[in-house]
Amino acid sequence: MPRTYLLCPPEYFAVEYVINPWMDATSTVDTGLAVKQWGLLRDALVELGHRVHVLPARAGLPDMVYAANGAFSVDGTVYGARFKYPQRLPEAGAHREFYLDEAARGAGWRYVEATQTNEGEGDFAYIPGPGLVLAGYGYRTEPAAHAEAQEALARPVVSLRLVDPRFYHLDTALAVLDDHRITYYPGAFSAASQSVLRRLFPDALLATEADALAFGLNLVSDGHNVLLSGEAVGFADRLARAGYRPRPVELTELKKGGGSVKCCVAELRD
Ligand code: ARG
């Protein structure tokens, strides 16, 4: 089944401020290389038969390449983002305009403005089989946004507490592989949240700290093909043994901002 994604090119990508442990303002970023690597990610999604929308990059918003943070949609309803840090605040408006423009052209989007701090698919994941939303909190998204998302999207939202600052967004520690199966690194979650995950997903594919540090969990799966960081070699092997088709993608420049494949790809669920 072809999916629809929204990406934003890293034309203005840089590390100009530090809001997560991966960012180092003294590091040098090769923006040209970032654009090239991002282009290969976009091409890979298109080659797999998926529909890719491109949101034009805006000067002064170096993190806008991480398009997953701009909103979270389920069944045609879009729950807008409200970024924690002022440097990224305006990105939500760019995403909002995208959905409103698409709606004006006949797409069926219903955009719900958020009043609570949340960073879109960075902290929200959707599992189509049970129709369940998993939501992270602890670093960026506020628990109050989980309740707001449940009201906006009419789906049960399960709150999970993140406890390791290196895995500051849910999508750095957990990913949805297909309609029913997830993968996650238990150590990124509180003991209670680990219990919740074990109860709900006894068949989950468990990842190691090394897998998570290689950004292996920051993946995009269409149910069969799994695009993931080229660094996560061992994890890719285990995905293959579990029946998936791993597709490594090199995003070394964007890792300097604290993100990889999933951060760059927002899924549009219409
Ligand atoms: N520098 C960005 C930030 O800290 C990276 C965002 C990564 N996005 C993601 N979906 N995890 O906000």
Side-chain angles (χ1 to χ4, degrees):
M1 261 285 274
R3 308 216 178 185
T4 307
Y5 299 113
L6 176 65
L7 280 76
C8 176
E11 280 160 41
Y12 302 104
F13 175 65
V15 181
E16 292 172 0
Y17 46 80
V18 174
I19 56 173
N20 71 55
W22 300 88
M23 299 174 90
D24 172 359
T26 66
S27 68
T28 47
V29 170
D30 182 340
T31 307
L33 179 58
V35 171
K36 212 168 126 191
Q37 293 180 330
W38 175 89
L40 294 174
L41 167 62
R42 181 204 50 210
D43 293 350
L45 292 168
V46 171
E47 275 161 30
L48 290 171
H50 302 303
R51 214 147 72 96
V52 173
H53 291 279
V54 174
L55 185 64
R58 295 193 185 175
L61 295 176
D63 273 339
M64 205 175 152
V65 60
Y66 304 112
N69 300 134
F72 175 57
S73 62
V74 175
D75 247 359
T77 298
V78 185
Y79 176 56
R82 197 179 173 96
F83 284 84
K84 170 163 176 161
Y85 294 107
Q87 294 96 330
R88 297 196 68 188
L89 268 178
E91 294 180 38
H95 283 262
R96 180 175 179 273
E97 270 174 42
F98 168 83
Y99 289 102
L100 297 185
D101 285 352
E102 286 288 302
R105 280 202 222 106
W109 297 117
R110 183 175 76 93
Y111 188 91
V112 180
E113 197 84 50
T115 70
Q116 305 297 326
T117 299
N118 83 88
E119 299 198 345
E121 288 200 326
D123 276 320
F124 287 109
Y126 185 63
I127 305 149
L132 198 67
V133 174
L134 297 181
Y137 72 97
Y139 297 100
R140 301 292 179 90
T141 297
E142 290 294 333
H146 298 180
E148 193 172 57
Q150 178 163 294
E151 283 303 304
L153 302 167
R155 291 291 192 286
V157 175
V158 176
S159 289
L160 301 167
R161 182 164 160 241
L162 296 165
V163 295
D164 184 331
R166 296 170 301 173
F167 310 115
Y168 58 94
H169 271 146
L170 182 71
D171 72 0
T172 62
L174 180 149
V176 179
L177 289 171
D178 58 34
D179 282 0
H180 298 276
R181 199 152 191 228
I182 66 164
T183 176
Y184 64 96
Y185 164 54
F189 299 91
S190 70
S193 291
Q194 289 180 37
S195 292
V196 170
L197 285 168
R198 275 196 304 271
R199 275 173 182 276
L200 288 174
F201 303 99
D203 70 336
L205 189 74
L206 296 185
T208 65
E209 182 183 33
D211 299 332
L213 286 172
F215 271 93
L217 291 161
N218 197 242
L219 61 81
V220 170
S221 174
D222 63 13
H224 178 56
N225 302 287
V226 179
L227 283 79
L228 82 169
S229 161
E231 273 182 56
V233 181
F235 188 57
D237 284 346
R238 294 205 307 288
L239 285 169
R241 265 181 270 130
Y244 299 96
R245 185 166 163 259
R247 297 255 325 202
V249 183
E250 298 308 329
L251 288 177
T252 53
E253 288 311 294
L254 294 175
K255 193 183 178 189
K256 296 174 184 171
S260 189
V261 178
K262 172 59 208 174
C263 299
C264 296
V265 180
E267 183 167 352
L268 309 188
R269 298 175 198 82
D270 52 10

